[in-house]
Amino acid sequence: QVTLIESGTGVVQAGGSTSLSCTSSVPINTMWCVGWFRRRAGPEREFVAAIRRAGDTGFYTDSVKGRFTVSAAGATVYLQMNNLKPEDTAVYYCAADVVYTNDSPREARAYDSWGQGIQVTVSS
Protein backbone atom coordinates (compact mmCIF):
# COMPACT_ATOMS: atom_id res chain seq x y z
CA GLN A 1 0.00 0.00 0.00
CA VAL A 2 1.19 3.51 -0.76
CA THR A 3 0.41 6.88 0.79
CA LEU A 4 -1.44 9.40 -1.36
CA ILE A 5 -1.96 13.05 -0.42
CA GLU A 6 -4.25 15.32 -2.41
CA SER A 7 -3.91 19.10 -2.52
CA GLY A 8 -5.45 21.95 -4.46
CA THR A 9 -7.88 24.85 -4.42
CA GLY A 10 -11.25 23.99 -2.94
CA VAL A 11 -13.64 26.78 -4.04
CA VAL A 12 -14.04 27.89 -7.66
CA GLN A 13 -16.64 29.84 -9.60
CA ALA A 14 -18.57 28.16 -12.41
CA GLY A 15 -16.66 28.44 -15.66
CA GLY A 16 -13.39 28.69 -13.80
CA SER A 17 -10.44 26.35 -13.46
CA THR A 18 -8.48 24.66 -10.76
CA SER A 19 -5.88 21.96 -10.46
CA LEU A 20 -5.58 19.10 -7.99
CA SER A 21 -2.35 17.29 -7.18
CA CYS A 22 -1.84 13.85 -5.72
CA THR A 23 1.58 13.12 -4.29
CA SER A 24 2.47 9.48 -3.86
CA SER A 25 5.02 7.87 -1.56
CA VAL A 26 6.40 5.92 -4.56
CA PRO A 27 6.90 6.81 -8.25
CA ILE A 28 3.81 6.62 -10.43
CA ASN A 29 5.48 4.23 -12.86
CA THR A 30 5.79 1.58 -10.13
CA MET A 31 1.97 1.22 -10.10
CA TRP A 32 -0.46 -0.24 -12.62
CA CYS A 33 -2.66 2.85 -12.72
CA VAL A 34 -3.53 6.00 -10.79
CA GLY A 35 -7.06 7.33 -10.90
CA TRP A 36 -9.22 10.20 -9.76
CA PHE A 37 -12.67 9.52 -8.37
CA ARG A 38 -15.27 11.79 -6.86
CA ARG A 39 -18.15 11.44 -4.46
CA ARG A 40 -21.07 13.74 -4.92
CA ALA A 41 -24.33 12.69 -3.25
CA GLY A 42 -24.35 9.33 -1.53
CA PRO A 43 -21.56 6.88 -0.67
CA GLU A 44 -20.57 5.80 -4.20
CA ARG A 45 -17.30 7.00 -5.69
CA GLU A 46 -17.60 7.91 -9.36
CA PHE A 47 -14.75 7.42 -11.80
CA VAL A 48 -13.38 10.69 -13.21
CA ALA A 49 -10.04 10.01 -14.92
CA ALA A 50 -6.99 7.77 -14.77
CA ILE A 51 -3.51 7.42 -16.19
CA ARG A 52 -1.28 4.38 -16.41
CA ARG A 53 2.20 5.89 -16.64
CA ALA A 54 3.85 9.28 -16.46
CA GLY A 55 3.72 10.85 -19.91
CA ASP A 56 0.80 8.73 -21.08
CA THR A 57 -2.54 10.06 -22.29
CA GLY A 58 -5.22 9.62 -19.69
CA PHE A 59 -8.77 8.33 -20.06
CA TYR A 60 -11.94 9.94 -18.76
CA THR A 61 -15.57 9.59 -17.94
CA ASP A 62 -17.74 11.21 -20.61
CA SER A 63 -18.98 14.07 -18.45
CA VAL A 64 -15.47 15.54 -18.04
CA LYS A 65 -13.97 14.84 -21.47
CA GLY A 66 -12.60 17.99 -23.04
CA ARG A 67 -12.69 19.82 -19.69
CA PHE A 68 -10.40 17.78 -17.43
CA THR A 69 -6.85 16.64 -18.08
CA VAL A 70 -4.96 14.05 -16.06
CA SER A 71 -1.17 13.95 -16.18
CA ALA A 72 1.67 12.51 -14.15
CA ALA A 73 5.34 13.13 -13.50
CA GLY A 74 7.61 11.44 -10.98
CA ALA A 75 5.52 10.71 -7.91
CA THR A 76 2.72 13.21 -8.58
CA VAL A 77 -0.51 12.96 -10.53
CA TYR A 78 -2.37 16.10 -11.55
CA LEU A 79 -5.98 16.78 -12.48
CA GLN A 80 -6.46 20.03 -14.35
CA MET A 81 -10.13 20.98 -14.32
CA ASN A 82 -11.40 23.65 -16.70
CA ASN A 83 -14.84 25.08 -17.44
CA LEU A 84 -16.08 23.83 -14.10
CA LYS A 85 -19.78 23.35 -13.51
CA PRO A 86 -21.76 23.28 -10.26
CA GLU A 87 -22.34 19.55 -10.81
CA ASP A 88 -18.56 19.02 -10.54
CA THR A 89 -18.89 19.87 -6.85
CA ALA A 90 -17.67 16.79 -4.97
CA VAL A 91 -15.02 15.30 -2.77
CA TYR A 92 -12.22 14.23 -5.12
CA TYR A 93 -10.06 11.21 -4.31
CA CYS A 94 -6.79 10.03 -5.74
CA ALA A 95 -6.40 6.24 -5.93
CA ALA A 96 -3.57 3.90 -6.82
CA ASP A 97 -3.74 0.42 -8.30
CA VAL A 98 -0.59 -1.11 -6.86
CA VAL A 99 -1.46 -4.80 -7.06
CA TYR A 100 -2.78 -5.88 -10.46
CA THR A 101 -6.34 -7.21 -10.70
CA ASN A 102 -8.62 -7.97 -13.63
CA ASP A 103 -10.96 -5.16 -12.61
CA SER A 104 -11.44 -2.24 -14.97
CA PRO A 105 -9.49 0.88 -13.95
CA ARG A 106 -12.83 2.70 -14.18
CA GLU A 107 -14.04 0.71 -11.17
CA ALA A 108 -13.19 1.74 -7.61
CA ARG A 109 -12.59 -1.89 -6.63
CA ALA A 110 -9.51 -1.97 -8.89
CA TYR A 111 -7.67 0.37 -6.54
CA ASP A 112 -6.03 -0.64 -3.28
CA SER A 113 -4.73 2.71 -1.96
CA TRP A 114 -6.71 5.90 -1.51
CA GLY A 115 -6.02 9.48 -0.51
CA GLN A 116 -8.02 11.24 2.16
CA GLY A 117 -10.04 13.25 -0.37
CA ILE A 118 -10.31 16.97 -1.05
CA GLN A 119 -13.50 19.01 -1.34
CA VAL A 120 -14.01 20.98 -4.55
CA THR A 121 -16.97 23.37 -4.54
CA VAL A 122 -18.08 25.08 -7.75
CA SER A 123 -20.29 28.07 -7.06
CA SER A 124 -22.82 29.29 -9.63
Side-chain angles (χ1 to χ4, degrees), residues 16 38-40 63-64 67-68 81-92 119-122:
R38 66 187 178 187
R39 179 169 52 84
R40 295 189 281 187
S63 63
V64 308
R67 301 190 298 121
F68 291 12
M81 302 188 287
N82 299 327
N83 190 22
L84 282 160
K85 304 175 181 181
E87 53 264 41
D88 294 317
T89 294
V91 178
Y92 284 75
Q119 175 72 44
V120 174
T121 301
V122 182

Side-chain angles (χ1 to χ4, degrees), residues 48-108:
V48 176
I51 190 166
R52 293 196 182 277
R53 299 184 66 82
D56 276 2
T57 300
F59 46 99
Y60 307 87
T61 192
D62 287 346
S63 63
V64 308
K65 281 180 182 177
R67 301 190 298 121
F68 291 12
T69 303
V70 61
S71 61
T76 303
V77 178
Y78 306 94
L79 184 67
Q80 175 66 38
M81 302 188 287
N82 299 327
N83 190 22
L84 282 160
K85 304 175 181 181
E87 53 264 41
D88 294 317
T89 294
V91 178
Y92 284 75
Y93 297 89
C94 175
D97 179 5
V98 180
V99 179
Y100 177 77
T101 70
N102 283 328
D103 296 314
S104 165
R106 296 174 181 270
E107 299 291 336

Side-chain angles (χ1 to χ4, degrees), residues 3-16:
T3 302
L4 303 170
I5 300 175
E6 300 101 338
S7 61
T9 302
V11 180
V12 188
Q13 286 193 326

Side-chain angles (χ1 to χ4, degrees), residues 1-2 26 30-33 95-101 110-113:
Q1 198 167 22
V2 302
V26 300
T30 64
M31 300 180 249
W32 289 102
C33 192
D97 179 5
V98 180
V99 179
Y100 177 77
T101 70
Y111 298 84
D112 40 67
S113 297

